[in-house]
Amino acid sequence: MKKILFAVAALSMSSAAFSNELTPICQDYYAAIDSFVKKLESNEATKGEAEEIMAIYHDAKQHYASLPKAEQDRICAREAEELREYQKILIHNISL
């Protein structure tokens, strides 16, 4: 999860501005994050991780929307895969 958070934070610092909305791939990625955060919030052991994600969530989402669409798709597809991998690990270690 730290890798995902680092990637989102690093992308938030970029200044490129090309688009104003998320591509369908990024919309799906953020829907997956929304669902995942709800699961994290429902478990006392993972509430802290939900808070970490939400601390940078909106800024990162706005930043992604400012990227060129091809860049959004590339990044969101990669991040979605990392999120799926992290969920597998977390579910294996903590029942959500």
Side-chain angles (χ1 to χ4, degrees), residues 1-13 29-30 33 49-64:
M1 189 63 192
K2 300 296 181 192
K3 185 177 179 182
I4 292 171
L5 293 174
F6 177 77
V8 172
L11 287 171
S12 297
M13 295 177 201
Y29 169 59
Y30 273 94
I33 290 175
E49 290 193 46
E51 291 170 3
E52 285 182 41
I53 293 169
M54 294 311 292
I56 60 172
Y57 178 90
H58 296 292
D59 288 340
K61 190 173 181 179
Q62 286 180 328
H63 172 72
Y64 279 28

Side-chain angles (χ1 to χ4, degrees), residues 27-94:
Q27 289 173 9
D28 290 347
Y29 169 59
Y30 273 94
I33 290 175
D34 292 339
S35 175
F36 184 55
V37 166
K38 286 179 185 175
K39 289 178 184 176
L40 291 174
E41 289 173 334
S42 71
N43 187 316
E44 200 61 40
T46 58
K47 275 187 178 179
E49 290 193 46
E51 291 170 3
E52 285 182 41
I53 293 169
M54 294 311 292
I56 60 172
Y57 178 90
H58 296 292
D59 288 340
K61 190 173 181 179
Q62 286 180 328
H63 172 72
Y64 279 28
S66 75
L67 296 173
K69 295 195 181 297
E71 185 74 3
Q72 282 187 42
D73 286 346
R74 184 183 67 75
I75 292 168
C76 287
R78 183 188 71 226
E79 294 291 328
E81 181 58 35
E82 289 180 10
L83 178 61
R84 285 188 290 275
E85 291 297 319
Y86 181 72
Q87 287 174 318
K88 287 178 190 176
I89 292 167
L90 188 63
I91 289 170
H92 184 269
N93 293 323
I94 298 174

